[in-house]
Amino acid sequence: MLACTRIGAVHTVVFAGFSSEALAGRIQDAGCAAVLTCNEGVRGGRVIDLKSTVDAAVRSCPTVRHVFVSQRTDKPAVMGQLDVPLDQVMMSQSPACPAEPLDSEDLLFLLYTSGSTGKPKGIVHTQAGYLLYTSMTHQYVFDYRDGDVFGCVADVGWITGHSYVVYGPLCNGATTVLFESTPVYPNPGRYWETVQRLRISQFYGAPTALRLLLKFDNSWVKKYDRSSLRTLGSVGEPINHEAWHWFHSVVGDGRCPLVDTWWQTETGGVCIAPRPADHGAPIIPAMAMRPFYGVQPVLMGEEGDPLPGNSVSGALCISEPWPGMARSIYGDHQRFVDAYFKPFPGCYFTGDGAFRSEDGHYQITGRMDDVINVSGHRLGTAEIEDALDEHPAVPETAVIGYPHDIKGEVPFAFVVLKEDFGSAPLAVLQELRELVATKIAKYAVPEHFLVVKRLPKTRSGKIMRRILRKVAMETTGDLGDVSTLDDPSVVKEIIEAHELYRKQRGQE
Ligand code: PRX
């Protein structure tokens, strides 16, 4: 990443868990000239065959002129026409490389993320504002001081890794930690052993990992020295109270401020979070609380008007620009304007809902659109539906987010099968799982599949997902207004299919 920025090249880092099709889609959209990969990746005791994924992807990417291959493991990579052995060619390069002067608004990187409709979008971040914002938030939100070792365990393929593994900490001269594993490999003490070994001062991670770890005995934490820790941080999804208290009292021994940080790929850096260093109100558990300097949150009501006063809930918008905000969607500025600035003219709309408490603190209540969060990974339900709909047996699907103990949410798919396939649904469902894994990634594969005859639709043909959510959650006692349904008898049909599904799951 740093080498790219030094020569003025725009980078777009792709999470190693994506399929070759998902990778190809990103390379094509960005028109990439070069791809950098390792021969293999290693994670949690598993080897990921990155080079084959890249090989399959670049076959459909005519803009790619070179594939640079670095040897992460000893296994020799099979080299093709486009491939260049990175470690070897670097040996013959000059160690001096003057930095390319750029304009403050020139592109720095693209990062693809999911929206409620369409393909993932290439969020555009630019040079100066992004760097300023990540550096300031890194300093003030985490109480960073010279000499600290900053431990953000996010994967560098997501925005958290960009802003708080690479750009923010390095801009402030911090020592930053590159964590290349899972929280439970080789055992559930991995994070805390790393804290002890590297004397980490700030530990920044995701609730999904905490929820996994708190199920193990606390001795996995206690046996390691965590006295170096000063600030703890959480990011990416709502943190439940149990995880917050465990992180605060067991990991932090009750002495480290724990900041719940709310932000997005599009915001570049943290926008709402407590700032322990500048002595605001005492931290309220599991609450993002305070906007960062210069960030002006506004809550909008159903009529699209700003809601004044406190103790109100609404659509979370930001009414003034801030340095780290995304500048565009690559190749489609109109989509950027439509997605973020049309819903509430004059404001940036986050897609999230929030509550402003009696004393003016912000609590994020979750997405208001069809975006779900699986283990901290953001996914558009429309992307999963598109993948499922490619199966010849499937005329229609609807995917919703369903709560999960550790992952936060998992995709729940309602699937309509063509009549002649209805007799072999198990085989089709297995093919559907494989289809999602090949089109997107394994983590996007629905945990639940419910085969239904029809989906609940309004007279204008729109799927009423609200009803599907209620069926999945078994809260159909209160279905709300169903008067716009084309045929209300469909609800009973789906509830019955769901009851059968539950019984079958119970027997498994
Ligand atoms: O719904 C919010 C949730 O994650 C979304 C942004 O996802 P992404 O762009 O992948 O960036 C994640 C890392 C910054 C938001 O729209 N989210 C993020 N942080 C929080 C959160 N939800 C609740 N509390 C948070 N602290």
Side-chain angles (χ1 to χ4, degrees):
M1 290 160 79
L2 297 178
C4 288
T5 56
R6 184 127 184 123
I7 62 170
V10 177
H11 63 68
T12 175
V13 183
V14 180
F15 175 60
F18 277 124
S19 66
S20 57
E21 284 195 38
L23 174 61
R26 286 155 171 79
I27 295 174
Q28 287 160 358
D29 188 77
C32 296
V35 178
L36 283 105
T37 182
C38 290
N39 59 333
E40 297 180 307
V42 278
R43 188 168 183 271
R46 280 188 316 124
V47 172
I48 308 160
D49 193 355
L50 294 173
K51 177 70 167 47
S52 316
T53 308
V54 171
D55 286 346
V58 296
R59 260 180 239 132
S60 56
C61 301
T63 56
V64 174
R65 297 194 298 271
H66 304 292
V67 175
F68 294 97
V69 186
S70 177
Q71 289 291 136
R72 172 67 183 80
T73 64
D74 292 336
K75 189 179 169 195
V78 181
M79 301 294 269
Q81 250 185 350
L82 297 177
D83 299 337
V84 181
L86 182 66
D87 314 281
Q88 276 173 38
V89 289
M90 273 176 52
M91 307 252 259
S92 59
Q93 300 299 306
S94 158
C97 174
E100 181 71 22
L102 293 170
D103 188 86
S104 59
E105 285 299 309
D106 278 339
L107 252 74
L108 173 60
F109 65 81
L110 307 179
L111 190 58
Y112 283 81
T113 191
S114 300
S116 50
T117 55
K119 287 204 160 95
K121 38 200 178 184
I123 297 295
V124 172
H125 281 291
T126 53
Q127 305 279 327
Y130 172 82
L131 198 58
L132 171 74
Y133 197 68
T134 52
S135 135
M136 282 199 65
T137 46
H138 172 255
Q139 179 177 341
Y140 286 98
V141 173
F142 300 100
D143 187 17
Y144 170 74
R145 301 177 204 166
D146 283 349
D148 284 351
V149 176
F150 191 78
C152 169
V153 288
D155 191 289
V156 88
W158 308 114
I159 192 68
T160 309
H162 282 58
S163 300
Y164 300 107
V165 174
V166 180
Y167 288 109
L170 293 182
C171 188
N172 291 341
T175 296
T176 193
V177 175
L178 291 170
F179 184 79
E180 189 194 39
S181 192
T182 76
V184 289
Y185 180 81
N187 61 51
R190 181 62 188 260
Y191 277 169
W192 325 120
E193 180 274 327
T194 310
V195 167
Q196 170 180 292
R197 182 164 36 89
L198 303 179
R199 303 289 302 156
I200 288 176
S201 329
Q202 288 89 359
F203 188 90
Y204 192 29
T208 187
L210 302 173
R211 288 191 296 262
L212 178 65
L213 292 177
L214 65 76
K215 297 202 183 301
F216 295 91
D217 198 85
N218 286 347
S219 60
W220 284 112
V221 183
K222 296 288 178 192
K223 68 175 163 187
Y224 297 107
D225 174 13
R226 288 150 290 111
S227 59
S228 58
L229 288 172
R230 188 163 68 247
T231 316
L232 304 174
S234 162
V235 60
E237 40 171 336
I239 179 163
N240 50 314
H241 282 263
E242 187 189 10
W244 196 97
H245 287 289
W246 181 81
F247 197 18
H248 185 253
S249 57
V250 178
V251 175
D253 289 324
R255 62 174 184 85
C256 304
L258 163 50
V259 292
D260 177 15
T261 65
W262 174 86
W263 59 294
Q264 311 176 293
T265 306
E266 294 88 338
T267 69
V270 174
C271 278
I272 307 183
R275 291 190 299 276
D278 72 7
H279 307 294
I283 294 177
I284 301 170
M287 205 169 185
M289 292 183 71
R290 303 172 76 188
F292 194 68
Y293 304 121
V295 172
Q296 301 283 350
V298 183
L299 299 183
M300 298 292 190
E302 281 180 9
E303 310 294 315
D305 292 331
L307 299 169
N310 290 340
S311 299
V312 285
S313 291
L316 177 63
C317 293
I318 302 178
S319 66
E320 298 288 333
W322 66 102
M325 76 186 298
R327 301 296 196 267
S328 193
I329 291 175
Y330 191 67
D332 197 349
H333 192 68
Q334 193 56 45
R335 187 175 174 201
F336 182 65
V337 173
D338 292 345
Y340 303 106
F341 300 95
K342 279 263 166 75
F344 301 96
C347 281
Y348 166 81
F349 175 46
T350 64
D352 282 301
F355 169 68
R356 189 164 50 231
S357 71
E358 210 173 313
D359 38 13
H361 294 129
Y362 289 89
Q363 168 115 56
I364 310 303
T365 50
R367 295 293 301 198
M368 300 180 78
D369 54 10
D370 295 318
V371 170
I372 61 174
N373 200 319
V374 181
S375 305
H377 302 327
R378 176 167 157 182
L379 269 170
T381 53
E383 273 171 78
I384 307 174
E385 289 164 9
D386 282 351
L388 296 172
D389 290 349
E390 288 202 14
H391 194 288
V394 174
E396 249 191 336
T397 56
V399 174
I400 57 162
Y402 183 76
H404 185 278
D405 265 8
I406 290 172
K407 298 179 183 176
E409 272 183 303
V410 286
F412 188 129
F414 292 81
V415 182
V416 179
L417 293 185
K418 278 192 186 154
E419 269 183 9
D420 23 333
F421 287 94
S423 55
L426 287 182
V428 175
L429 295 187
Q430 190 46 35
E431 284 162 17
L432 288 175
R433 286 190 189 95
E434 282 157 21
L435 200 56
V436 178
T438 12
K439 294 267 162 206
I440 311 175
K442 284 207 184 101
Y443 70 84
V445 174
E447 172 114 357
H448 302 275
F449 282 94
L450 183 61
V451 177
V452 292
K453 290 202 193 89
R454 309 175 282 167
L455 294 170
K457 289 192 184 161
T458 61
R459 264 169 243 128
S460 56
K462 215 172 159 245
I463 297 170
M464 282 178 89
R465 281 159 210 281
R466 179 171 58 81
I467 290 184
L468 298 177
R469 278 187 208 108
K470 297 218 159 176
V471 173
M473 297 297 295
E474 297 171 43
T475 52
T476 45
D478 161 35
L479 272 182
D481 180 14
V482 291
S483 62
T484 53
L485 268 182
D486 182 38
D487 177 0
S489 69
V490 69
V491 179
K492 189 161 167 271
E493 227 173 77
I494 298 178
I495 293 176
E496 281 169 8
H498 183 247
E499 274 166 9
L500 194 66
Y501 171 75
R502 268 186 43 228
K503 274 196 203 124
Q504 284 164 349
R505 288 273 295 198
Q507 282 161 10
E508 269 168 22

